[in-house]
Amino acid sequence: MIGFLRGLVVAKKPPSLLLDVRGVGYEIDAPMSTFYKLPEIGEEVTLYTHLAIREDAHSLFGFVSEAERALFRSLIRVSGVGAKLALAILSGLSAEEFHRCVEAQDAARLVRLPGVGKKTAERLIIEMRDRLPELPTVHLPGAGTLPAPAASPVDDAVSALIALGFKPQDANNLVRKVPVDGKSSEEIIRSALQSAAK
């Protein structure tokens, strides 16, 4: 229904962002892999989108590449995998890394992601093996490479990790284990996720 949106980044609070498209503000949830590539606040970006309609909510999800969106759409068709877990998976692994995990049947790597237990990891490998979307190589223009600084990066990082499925205590512990001085919330989250995956 909405294929992509092009607009100005108004706010970033992972995993949500606010995009101003010609005076209309769209609230969009996105994986951290997309947040890492967002431009500064006030700059223009183009995101591929997926609209999920339920009885109680209309949710819009944004992705910096077609590969991410295609993988997200495949993930939410897997039994027991909702949008929140799909975002957590894409936040912990790139589309290419996920493909390699499935092809190598690497359940151990998937289990390290928040919210993914052994049974879910095995189900992901079985159900995704035959329907991995092809990875498109086309990227829409307008995606920057610099993350914008956050007002309180540590708090934003902890909140984002909780939203991605980590327990509050685990999120706090992960953030405490990584260097935070002078880093944006996106950089802290990236370090914390890398630490959790080890």
Side-chain angles (χ1 to χ4, degrees), residues 96-137:
E96 293 85 356
E97 288 170 332
F98 182 82
H99 278 237
R100 286 196 292 272
C101 278
V102 172
E103 288 165 358
Q105 298 186 35
D106 188 358
R109 177 106 189 259
L110 294 174
V111 168
R112 290 195 213 95
L113 299 170
V116 179
K118 186 178 178 183
K119 287 184 179 178
T120 302
E122 291 170 351
R123 191 181 311 119
L124 281 166
I125 289 170
I126 291 168
E127 293 193 32
M128 293 293 292
R129 194 168 41 208
D130 296 328
R131 64 176 180 189
L132 280 176
E134 288 188 15
L135 293 175
T137 55

Side-chain angles (χ1 to χ4, degrees), residues 14-15 30-32 84-85 87-89 91-92 113-115 157-166 189 193:
M32 290 311 303
K84 183 177 177 180
L85 182 54
L87 285 182
I89 291 169
S91 292
L113 299 170
V158 171
S159 296
L161 290 170
I162 292 169
L164 289 170
F166 285 95
I189 295 162
L193 287 171

